[in-house]
Amino acid sequence: ERVDLVFCHAATYATSSQVLPAVQEANVPVVVLNLQPVSALEYETADTGEWLANCSACCVPEISCAFERAAIPFNVVSGMLYEDEEAWREIEEWCRAAGVIRMLRGSRFGFLGHTYPGMLDLYSDFTMHHAQLGLHVEIVEMDDLKDHVDGASDEAVAAKVEETRDTFELDESVTGESLDWAARVSVGLDGLVEDADLDALAYYYQGTSGSTYEQLGASLILGNSLLTARGIPASGEGDLKNAVAMKVMDILEAGGSYTEFYAMDFDENLVLMGHDGPGHIVISDRKPVLRELELYHGKAGYGVSVEFSVRTGPITILAVTQTRDGRLKMMAAEGESLPGPTLGIGNTNSRLRFSLPPSAFMNAWCEQGPTHHCALGTGHRAGVLRKVARLLDLEFVEVG
């Protein structure tokens, strides 16, 4: 049946030889449920039958040993069968993690243009992503995008302008000409995504001397923010690993906004995090701003850009990086998004506080060899992310 995960409920005693063949046949990770029906036996009245009805703990070590020696990835959830919120929360997280794996396998990640030159942490091996995650990387060309932009109808562009006005608060700096052009490119992006059947996108293109491709590369922010909002995350600077992190967070309905570290605030004990480019505008608690910039920082060109903050409350950042032996690695940290002033520079930026002070957090995070990007999402998600990594057989580190 091509299942992604097997739950083995140890309802009573069984020898490991009775369990191992079934799990070997499935050839997928297994979660052993050591769930006892009652909180404690009535020692003075319980007979052998009552004990056997509550002796799941008896065989779980034996089964675990068999799985280990058979090289079957396994995990154990121990607790009570009824009225045990912690045990059932663990089971729910395993189900959600299996759902992430199912969604990743066969997902089509577009790669448009190239990685930002010189950012060595962002360089990725496409085959590594195919092999370790089961996804597909589809290389799409700027020429493909240009064809779709050139073919965008005036009606489709007008509808996109209307969608943009409904979605964003337009700063007075935004001109009609810039808005129309960004909307036309957004329509082109929609066509590109549909044609290539993409589930996510990593992109970057610099271009030169005001060429058509420089203008296209500079005008992707609006369209990619709208794509990200509808579950097709777009990661700038050609960071494929971060597109994976964003997709994982989006599958978990946590958002997953394109993010990097901006600054440390030692007065208020927080870290400012954001990025120029697209944001996951669904996870803001106020209408995002569309602002026009005369010159992008660190990018060629000029045009409209998105400014927003992640809603206040619990947050998680997830990074996908790479180890020296060529394995992908997941890193996460839980914290809180705080209200207060942010930079009005046409970028996403949020005020985040983690369990460690800013300097200690930065030290601990950087010791793990991250990329400089991460996916910023809502809620505390480290528990389920740890399980996603476990099912993918990837290293996982929670910082803080």
Side-chain angles (χ1 to χ4, degrees), residues 255-267:
S257 196
Y258 176 51
T259 305
E260 67 183 0
F261 292 87
Y262 264 17
M264 295 177 288
D265 187 327
F266 294 105
D267 293 337

Side-chain angles (χ1 to χ4, degrees), residues 207-282:
T208 57
S209 306
S211 68
T212 298
Y213 293 117
E214 180 182 285
Q215 294 174 34
L216 284 173
S219 306
L220 299 171
I221 295 172
L222 171 62
N224 281 337
S225 292
L226 293 173
L227 283 174
T228 300
R230 46 182 258 233
I232 304 171
S235 177
E237 298 179 355
D239 190 349
L240 179 61
K241 294 189 291 292
N242 196 57
V244 172
M246 292 170 68
K247 186 65 177 178
V248 168
M249 293 294 273
D250 189 78
I251 294 170
L252 292 174
E253 299 178 337
S257 196
Y258 176 51
T259 305
E260 67 183 0
F261 292 87
Y262 264 17
M264 295 177 288
D265 187 327
F266 294 105
D267 293 337
E268 298 193 59
N269 191 34
L270 58 85
V271 179
L272 192 68
M273 298 185 70
H275 211 293
D276 65 299
H280 202 308
I281 53 179
V282 172

Side-chain angles (χ1 to χ4, degrees), residues 90-128:
E90 284 282 303
I91 293 168
E92 180 183 4
E93 286 187 352
W94 279 114
C95 291
R96 300 197 73 187
V100 171
I101 305 307
R102 173 57 64 102
M103 291 286 287
L104 276 183
R105 286 179 181 151
S107 288
R108 294 172 59 83
F109 278 63
F111 193 89
L112 175 65
H114 58 81
T115 304
Y116 195 109
M119 291 182 174
L120 302 180
D121 58 326
L122 306 189
Y123 294 176
S124 283
D125 176 350
F126 293 170
T127 306
M128 177 177 65

Side-chain angles (χ1 to χ4, degrees), residues 87-359:
W88 284 98
R89 182 187 61 80
E90 284 282 303
I91 293 168
E92 180 183 4
E93 286 187 352
W94 279 114
C95 291
R96 300 197 73 187
V100 171
I101 305 307
R102 173 57 64 102
M103 291 286 287
L104 276 183
R105 286 179 181 151
S107 288
R108 294 172 59 83
F109 278 63
F111 193 89
L112 175 65
H114 58 81
T115 304
Y116 195 109
M119 291 182 174
L120 302 180
D121 58 326
L122 306 189
Y123 294 176
S124 283
D125 176 350
F126 293 170
T127 306
M128 177 177 65
H129 286 74
H130 281 252
Q132 297 178 32
L133 302 174
L135 55 80
H136 171 79
V137 179
E138 180 74 8
I139 298 175
V140 289
E141 302 285 359
M142 290 296 288
D143 303 78
D144 298 324
L145 176 60
K146 181 179 182 300
D147 289 345
H148 284 287
V149 172
D150 290 345
S153 69
D154 291 342
E155 293 79 11
V157 173
K160 187 65 70 173
V161 169
E162 189 65 27
E163 179 187 357
T164 301
R165 291 187 179 277
D166 290 341
T167 305
F168 295 89
E169 176 186 329
L170 269 61
D171 183 73
E172 61 183 12
S173 61
V174 178
T175 64
E177 181 182 3
S178 294
L179 179 58
D180 287 348
W181 171 243
R184 186 169 296 276
V185 175
S186 179
V187 172
L189 276 167
D190 290 347
L192 178 69
V193 165
E194 183 178 357
D195 267 8
D197 192 23
L198 301 182
D199 300 293
L201 179 68
Y203 73 96
Y204 176 75
Y205 199 83
Q206 185 165 321
T208 57
S209 306
S211 68
T212 298
Y213 293 117
E214 180 182 285
Q215 294 174 34
L216 284 173
S219 306
L220 299 171
I221 295 172
L222 171 62
N224 281 337
S225 292
L226 293 173
L227 283 174
T228 300
R230 46 182 258 233
I232 304 171
S235 177
E237 298 179 355
D239 190 349
L240 179 61
K241 294 189 291 292
N242 196 57
V244 172
M246 292 170 68
K247 186 65 177 178
V248 168
M249 293 294 273
D250 189 78
I251 294 170
L252 292 174
E253 299 178 337
S257 196
Y258 176 51
T259 305
E260 67 183 0
F261 292 87
Y262 264 17
M264 295 177 288
D265 187 327
F266 294 105
D267 293 337
E268 298 193 59
N269 191 34
L270 58 85
V271 179
L272 192 68
M273 298 185 70
H275 211 293
D276 65 299
H280 202 308
I281 53 179
V282 172
I283 59 173
S284 180
D285 51 11
R286 62 181 185 269
K287 206 168 186 179
V289 175
L290 204 63
R291 189 184 300 279
E292 186 162 343
L293 303 179
E294 294 183 1
L295 180 67
Y296 293 134
H297 80 269
K299 305 288 190 298
Y302 56 89
V304 297
S305 189
V306 170
E307 185 177 297
F308 92 112
S309 298
V310 170
R311 73 173 66 105
T312 56
I315 56 91
T316 301
I317 59 172
L318 169 67
V320 176
T321 185
Q322 181 179 339
T323 65
R324 68 181 69 178
D325 59 355
R327 296 288 298 171
L328 293 170
K329 171 181 172 179
M330 298 176 69
M331 299 171 49
E334 295 179 339
E336 183 182 6
S337 176
L338 304 172
T342 54
L343 302 175
I345 57 175
N347 287 190
T348 69
N349 53 124
S350 302
R351 298 156 54 87
L352 308 181
R353 182 175 291 154
F354 299 96
S355 59
L356 298 172
S359 55

